[in-house]
Amino acid sequence: MNGASSSGGIRAALSYCVQQVRRYDYHHYLCLLELPPNMRKAAFALRAFNVETSRAMDITSDPKIGLMRLLWWQEALDKIYSNKVIEHPVAQALTSVISEHKVSKNWLKRAVEARINDANRENNDIPQTVEELERYAEDTSSTILYSTLQAGGIKSTAADHAASHIGKASGLLLLLKSLPYHASRNHQFSYIPAKVAEKHELSVGQSEIRKDSCEALCDAVFEMASVANAHLQKARELAGSVPAEARPVLLPAVPAQVILDSLARVQFDVYDPRLARGILGSPPLLFQLKLKWYSWRGKY
């Protein structure tokens, strides 16, 4: 009876993970549907963990409460790896996945700690260089891909390198797309590095960034998008060395490319309303067909 009850609890927890990813991270939800059935459980649990930590600061107007949520997850990971029971559906799904697939604690701790460090930043404490944001993108995005590969039993240096580049590209592009949202909350562009802002004459002081120059902002976004594009190109150059079973895990390269293409169509104006349409600025059917096409061809 206990075994049946436990199994039912895990199924309910996994169903919750799937629904959370579908609701808050729809483009990655579609990517995960292209995975082999035996990899989906772990992938959805890991992606739901990312949803929980990435939204922690956004679902409350009080930064302290957001930070408390992140610290809770940091502590929850310690408990999960100590085989302690946590009454939270995502934590329960993670516990099952970690027990079954021996997912490294390092990647998940690194992801939540990067978000905690970001949450602890003062509003005027802007990153100095693009490299700082690349590290943040790897810590928060690439680590989910590393963990998914590991859960799938895929050991490949080429796949790990490709995952690193795709995570950096995806993380950077999602930060760019969300610039207006963060500007509305923080009254400045928290994720445009100070050196990039200064180069394009967006800077008005050491830490505040001007928001009234559309052309300069577009130039800054273009520069950062070009860095993301270079990461996507490097990931695709590795495709010939990436095992076939790893390629579906790397499909998040497709939505990253869609964001790039959408930004290019609006001349890198992150305030253009077309970016909010459909899926990442792309018509939903077109997005899904593109994803299916890459998946069917075994590419990313």
Side-chain angles (χ1 to χ4, degrees):
M1 191 69 178
N2 286 342
S5 175
S6 175
S7 177
I10 295 301
R11 282 198 298 271
L14 180 59
S15 177
Y16 177 86
C17 290
V18 172
Q19 292 308 313
Q20 288 294 95
V21 176
R22 189 179 193 276
R23 183 175 182 182
Y24 297 112
D25 195 1
Y26 189 61
H27 57 281
H28 282 132
Y29 167 81
L30 294 174
C31 290
L32 298 191
L33 293 182
E34 298 301 318
L35 290 173
N38 67 318
M39 292 185 67
R40 288 179 196 164
K41 173 184 172 182
F44 272 111
L46 291 164
R47 189 58 66 175
F49 166 74
N50 185 64
V51 167
E52 290 285 331
T53 55
S54 65
R55 295 183 67 242
M57 298 298 293
D58 297 335
I59 58 179
T60 175
S61 58
D62 186 345
K64 292 180 181 177
I65 294 176
L67 180 58
M68 284 173 62
R69 289 177 184 272
L70 290 170
L71 292 170
W72 183 90
W73 272 107
Q74 185 182 44
E75 184 179 341
L77 286 176
D78 289 332
K79 291 180 179 178
I80 288 170
Y81 279 91
S82 299
N83 299 313
K84 295 179 180 177
V85 177
I86 303 175
E87 296 299 325
H88 186 290
V90 175
Q92 290 169 342
L94 267 183
T95 299
S96 176
V97 166
I98 288 165
S99 173
E100 186 176 345
H101 299 288
K102 304 296 184 272
V103 176
S104 171
K105 182 180 180 180
N106 176 57
W107 300 132
L108 302 181
K109 289 285 282 188
R110 186 169 154 189
V112 74
E113 284 170 3
R115 295 197 187 278
I116 289 170
N117 291 336
D118 187 52
N120 275 322
R121 278 199 298 132
E122 297 293 333
N123 276 347
N124 60 357
D125 185 16
I126 293 170
Q128 291 299 301
T129 65
V130 176
E131 288 77 15
E132 287 181 51
L133 285 183
E134 285 178 283
R135 284 194 296 273
Y136 177 73
E138 180 175 22
D139 287 344
T140 55
S141 297
S142 302
T143 51
I144 302 301
L145 297 178
Y146 299 153
S147 299
T148 306
L149 288 167
Q150 188 178 44
I154 299 167
K155 297 179 181 179
S156 164
T157 301
D160 288 342
H161 285 166
S164 173
H165 288 300
I166 291 167
K168 288 175 183 176
S170 179
L172 284 173
L173 290 165
L174 288 170
L175 286 176
L176 289 177
K177 188 175 182 298
S178 66
L179 280 174
Y181 168 77
H182 289 293
S184 69
R185 282 177 65 97
N186 304 326
H187 308 295
Q188 61 186 339
F189 294 119
S190 306
Y191 295 104
I192 292 183
K195 289 189 177 179
V196 174
E198 184 178 2
K199 175 181 177 181
H200 298 286
E201 300 183 348
L202 276 170
S203 296
V204 294
Q206 257 192 328
S207 56
E208 293 182 0
I209 294 178
R210 212 170 69 227
K211 296 188 291 183
D212 58 357
S213 176
C214 181
E215 184 177 351
L217 176 59
C218 292
D219 289 343
V221 170
F222 173 76
E223 179 174 337
M224 294 174 65
S226 298
V227 174
N229 182 56
H231 281 298
L232 282 180
Q233 296 307 315
K234 289 175 183 175
R236 289 177 177 142
E237 287 168 7
L238 291 163
S241 305
V242 172
E245 63 269 23
R247 292 173 194 167
V249 178
L250 303 178
L251 278 173
V254 176
Q257 184 65 56
V258 168
I259 298 177
L260 262 178
D261 295 341
S262 296
L263 283 170
R265 278 195 299 274
V266 299
Q267 288 75 52
F268 299 91
D269 178 6
V270 291
Y271 280 93
D272 193 300
R274 286 174 289 178
L275 288 176
R277 296 175 188 168
I279 301 175
L280 304 176
S282 172
L285 181 58
L286 183 60
F287 179 92
Q288 292 181 62
L289 286 173
K290 187 170 189 175
L291 187 62
K292 285 283 186 185
W293 176 246
Y294 273 83
S295 177
W296 179 70
R297 295 175 69 207
K299 295 187 179 296
Y300 56 82

